[in-house]
């Protein structure tokens, strides 16, 4: 079978949401209990997150509506006050969104012609004369672990730590070098590689963030972003090798990238510790003792359903075929490419849509033979493109805070949790300074333990997981802001975006 061209998936709707920052540094916020809109929040949370619905877009402007995560719309009333609810007419809640060269947005009410503004606390539409008070800075609200895709070159950005450069040349984003952390600090963005180096203005990687690693970001609805230095320079792929660097002459929109949540790639191992691999174009076997590109699978899973699709690096999906053989020749919408997943202490069991469980036949082929799962149907699963985790829960990111000695779960800036695999599905959590996570008798965590503890990770979606802590309870986000491991069952607070 010929290799399928890798098809770039469009960003999910939740990855296209933004926060809007006023001139005072505060976020546009819907107040659920008061039916009002304010700009008092100092950090980006659920109530500061908006989906931009575009009805008509041109190069420098678009007609849009702003929709909250509750499904209600930002509305401007006749007296200039702002609220949220359901539009009463076809133009009610519509704004003319203009993109400005300084990376700011303005939102002009389509009915009244007045601009959305804030005094640092309240939000209103009263003035038709444009000023600095009407400028809003868009901040992408997606998880900070991202990939950058160039629609012009049809490739992904890839960091090269040995040369200290970033190239836009990866056809498939299966390597950890394709993942970046997008930090937002003091109105600017810093792009951090998987080896914790930072893209700079001088075409090489820096070990620490600084003014030389700070970029402004132009944002367009639909996930398009462009990074610039604020002095006329734009980041875009240059030369025959597509080196990502600053320049002044991008052509055909080379400066625009699609910003997306970093996908999850995994490897699967049989009980004989051999990697499940695609060989001979589409045959799937437990064949190799070494990890190869054909042993990597993108883990695609809808959080609303316990089924998963495994997409191989050849562009095809694993699918059950005749004689119960599993082949790497499936297409996205085929029912035979969906497998029900079950978990057993960090090991995954896959059940085909016809009811049988996947296991390894005596000849090494991956087959859907068993009516009941046993050790032969359990597979070890490890992250293939994530040397660390960045966890975001219902109240913010997991990280340390100068005001607390316990690990918190309501941070605007995350900490990286470095993963040290010790068994299939079992990891040690290492803090950024090299010490280990420790757990107290109250189920709270500290980042300076001396001994490694076992954490069991189970995937619940394409970018969702649960963590079974060393005390036997699930780790959850508490509304107080403290990270806890005290839940016997998986609740919404136990689900972590990574």
């Amino acid at each position: 079978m010929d290799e399928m061209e890798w098809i770039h998936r469009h960003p999910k709707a939740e990855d296209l949401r933004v926060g809007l920052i006023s001139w005072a540094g505060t976020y546009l916020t819907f107040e659920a209990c008061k039916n009002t809109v304010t700009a008092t929040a100092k950090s980006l949370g659920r109530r500061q997150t908006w989906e931009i619905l575009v009805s008509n877009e041109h190069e420098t402007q678009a007609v849009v509506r702003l929709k909250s995560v509750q499904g209600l719309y930002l509305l401007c009333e006749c007296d200039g006050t702002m609220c949220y609810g359901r539009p009463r007419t076809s133009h009610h809640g519509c704004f003319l969104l203009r993109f400005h060269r300084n990376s700011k947005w303005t939102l002009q009410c389509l009915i009244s012609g007045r601009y959305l503004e804030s005094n640092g606390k309240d939000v209103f539409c009263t003035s038709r004369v444009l000023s600095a008070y009407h400028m809003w800075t868009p901040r992408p609200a997606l998880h900070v672990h991202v990939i950058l895709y160039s629609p012009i070159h049809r490739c992904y950005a890839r960091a090269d730590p040995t040369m200290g450069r970033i190239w836009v040349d990866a056809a498939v984003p299966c390597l950890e070098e394709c993942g970046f952390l997008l930090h937002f600090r003091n109105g600017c963005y810093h792009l951090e590689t998987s080896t914790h180096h930072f893209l700079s203005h001088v075409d090489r990687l820096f070990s620490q963030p600084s003014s030389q690693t700070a970029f402004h970001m132009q944002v367009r609805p639909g996930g398009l972003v462009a990074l610039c230095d604020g002095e006329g320079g734009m980041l875009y792929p240059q030369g025959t090798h597509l080196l990502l660097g600053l320049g002044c002459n991008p052509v055909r929109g080379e400066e625009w990238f699609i910003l997306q949540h970093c996908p999850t790639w995994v490897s699967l191992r049989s009980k004989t510790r051999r990697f499940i691999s695609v060989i001979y174009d589409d045959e799937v076997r437990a064949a190799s003792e070494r990890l190869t590109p054909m042993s990597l699978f993108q883990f695609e899973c809808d959080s609303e359903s316990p089924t998963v699709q495994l997409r191989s690096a050849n562009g095809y999906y694993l699918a059950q075929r005749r004689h119960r053989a599993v082949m790497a020749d499936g297409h996205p919408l085929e029912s035979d490419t969906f497998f029900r997943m079950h978990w057993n202490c960090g090991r995954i069991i896959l059940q085909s849509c016809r009811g049988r469980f996947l296991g390894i036949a005596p000849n090494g082929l991956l087959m859907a033979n068993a009516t009941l799962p046993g050790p032969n149907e359990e597979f070890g699963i490890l992250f293939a493109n994530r040397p660390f985790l960045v966890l975001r829960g219902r109240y913010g990111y997991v990280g340390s805070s100068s005001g607390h000695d316990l690990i918190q779960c309501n941070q605007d800036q995350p900490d990286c949790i470095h993963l040290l695999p010790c068994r299939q599905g079992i990891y040690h959590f290492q803090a950024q300074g090299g010490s280990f996570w420790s757990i107290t008798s109250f189920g709270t965590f500290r980042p300076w333990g001396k001994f490694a503890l076992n954490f069991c990770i189970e995937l619940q979606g394409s970018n969702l997981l649960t963590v079974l802590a060393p005390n036997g309870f699930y780790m959850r986000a508490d509304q107080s802001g403290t990270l806890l491991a005290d839940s016997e069952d998986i609740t919404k607070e136990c689900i972590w975006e990574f």
Side-chain angles (χ1 to χ4, degrees):
M1 175 184 290
D2 293 333
E3 185 172 302
M4 179 192 288
E5 181 182 359
W6 184 262
I7 300 173
H8 172 78
R9 295 275 183 263
H10 291 294
K12 298 178 182 178
E14 56 265 29
D15 289 349
L16 302 178
R17 295 169 180 158
V18 299
L20 292 173
I21 308 171
S22 72
W23 62 272
T26 54
Y27 287 82
L28 184 69
T29 304
F30 66 90
E31 303 290 351
C33 57
K34 302 175 184 176
N35 191 32
T36 59
V37 179
T38 65
T40 56
K42 299 250 178 104
S43 61
L44 179 60
R46 286 177 57 81
R47 291 188 296 116
Q48 293 77 40
T49 300
W50 301 88
E51 185 177 350
I52 310 297
L53 302 177
V54 180
S55 59
N56 194 356
E57 184 173 2
H58 299 285
E59 288 188 3
T60 60
Q61 62 187 36
V63 177
V64 301
R65 277 194 168 105
L66 275 65
K67 184 180 178 183
S68 72
V69 294
Q70 285 190 334
L72 300 175
Y73 295 83
L74 181 69
L75 303 175
C76 178
E77 301 299 5
C78 297
D79 61 356
T81 59
M82 304 301 298
C83 65
Y84 61 90
R86 304 285 182 190
R88 296 188 294 271
T89 66
S90 61
H91 288 91
H92 192 210
C94 286
F95 295 86
L96 182 62
L97 168 61
R98 286 193 177 94
F99 313 116
H100 296 266
R101 290 185 179 180
N102 60 358
S103 303
K104 309 286 187 184
W105 286 3
T106 53
L107 290 153
Q108 186 178 20
C109 176
L110 212 59
I111 295 175
S112 68
R114 297 184 176 99
Y115 289 96
L116 183 73
E117 65 177 297
S118 168
N119 59 9
K121 179 181 177 183
D122 298 316
V123 179
F124 41 87
C125 268
T126 57
S127 175
R128 291 190 176 93
V129 181
L130 188 62
S131 73
Y133 296 105
H134 303 124
M135 296 290 175
W136 297 86
T137 302
R139 176 185 174 185
L142 82 170
H143 191 280
V144 298
H145 201 173
V146 300
I147 55 174
L148 293 165
Y149 175 74
S150 169
I152 295 295
H153 296 287
R154 300 168 75 177
C155 284
Y156 298 85
R158 174 186 63 87
D160 185 348
T162 58
M163 298 188 67
R165 300 286 190 271
I166 294 178
W167 314 95
V168 185
D169 64 356
V172 182
C174 60
L175 303 174
E176 66 181 58
E177 291 84 2
C178 294
F180 299 87
L181 294 178
L182 188 66
H183 299 283
F184 182 75
R185 295 172 184 163
N186 301 319
C188 292
Y189 292 87
H190 302 261
L191 199 63
E192 182 181 358
T193 71
S194 61
T195 56
H196 305 299
H197 292 82
F198 293 84
L199 178 66
S200 75
H201 297 178
V202 292
D203 297 345
R204 61 185 176 87
L205 301 180
F206 282 23
S207 60
Q208 296 291 331
S210 67
S211 60
Q212 285 290 295
T213 68
F215 292 89
H216 298 277
M217 180 184 285
Q218 295 183 17
V219 181
R220 297 288 186 271
L224 281 173
V225 300
L227 293 166
C228 56
D229 63 358
E231 299 178 357
M234 303 290 297
L235 272 178
Y236 59 94
Q238 300 177 38
T240 56
H241 296 291
L242 301 178
L243 171 67
L244 185 62
L246 278 176
C248 299
N249 298 300
V251 296
R252 297 182 297 120
E254 281 184 310
E255 72 274 25
W256 293 102
F257 291 86
I258 295 176
L259 187 68
Q260 282 185 263
H261 197 158
C262 184
T264 302
W265 286 78
V266 299
S267 63
L268 299 171
R269 261 180 146 173
S270 68
K271 70 173 184 178
T272 60
R273 302 188 62 79
R274 292 181 180 271
F275 288 103
I276 307 301
S277 306
V278 179
I279 59 175
Y280 306 128
D281 292 334
D282 57 4
E283 199 173 83
V284 185
R285 288 178 175 269
S288 175
E289 295 181 356
R290 294 174 57 251
L291 189 65
T292 69
M294 298 313 293
S295 310
L296 305 181
F297 299 93
Q298 186 175 344
F299 193 94
E300 298 183 10
C301 176
D302 182 357
S303 60
E304 302 299 321
S305 168
T307 59
V308 62
Q309 290 179 292
L310 295 170
R311 188 184 188 191
S312 71
N314 69 1
Y316 290 95
Y317 289 82
L318 297 194
Q320 182 186 345
R321 296 308 189 201
R322 289 184 304 168
H323 309 299
R324 301 175 185 166
V326 175
M327 309 291 284
D329 62 357
H331 295 272
L333 299 180
E334 281 190 84
S335 60
D336 288 340
T337 64
F338 289 87
F339 299 91
R340 188 179 182 89
M341 58 181 177
H342 310 268
W343 290 96
N344 182 21
C345 299
R347 300 178 73 84
I348 193 170
I349 301 167
L350 297 170
Q351 185 178 16
S352 75
C353 63
R354 303 178 194 181
R356 294 191 176 258
F357 295 89
L358 272 59
I360 304 303
N363 61 0
L365 285 174
L366 184 63
M367 306 282 288
N369 272 332
T371 55
L372 290 174
N376 189 52
E377 286 70 45
E378 292 184 358
F379 296 95
I381 183 169
L382 286 175
F383 291 117
N385 67 330
R386 274 181 167 75
F388 55 80
L389 288 179
V390 172
L391 297 181
R392 181 166 71 171
R394 290 178 65 82
Y395 310 111
Y397 286 100
V398 171
S400 52
S401 169
S402 58
H404 301 85
D405 64 342
L406 300 174
I407 295 176
Q408 302 294 295
C409 60
N410 61 352
Q411 301 297 293
D412 187 57
Q413 298 294 330
D415 286 351
C416 287
I417 306 166
H418 290 271
L419 297 175
L420 302 180
C422 56
R423 294 198 304 277
Q424 304 294 324
I426 308 296
Y427 293 86
H428 302 319
F429 282 9
Q430 190 174 37
Q432 288 176 300
S435 57
F436 294 97
W437 274 35
S438 65
I439 188 168
T440 71
S441 57
F442 301 103
T444 55
F445 297 92
R446 291 191 173 98
W448 53 70
K450 293 183 179 179
F451 304 103
L453 302 177
N454 291 343
F455 292 82
C456 177
I457 292 176
E458 296 179 353
L459 297 175
Q460 306 294 335
S462 295
N463 286 99
L464 300 174
L465 58 76
T466 52
V467 179
L468 194 62
N471 64 356
F473 293 96
Y474 285 100
M475 203 166 76
R476 71 173 180 89
D478 190 72
Q479 199 165 5
S480 68
T482 301
L483 183 67
L484 291 172
D486 63 358
S487 182
E488 294 183 4
D489 301 312
I490 297 176
T491 66
K492 288 183 178 180
E493 291 183 330
C494 300
I495 303 294
W496 299 95
E497 188 181 9
F498 69 96

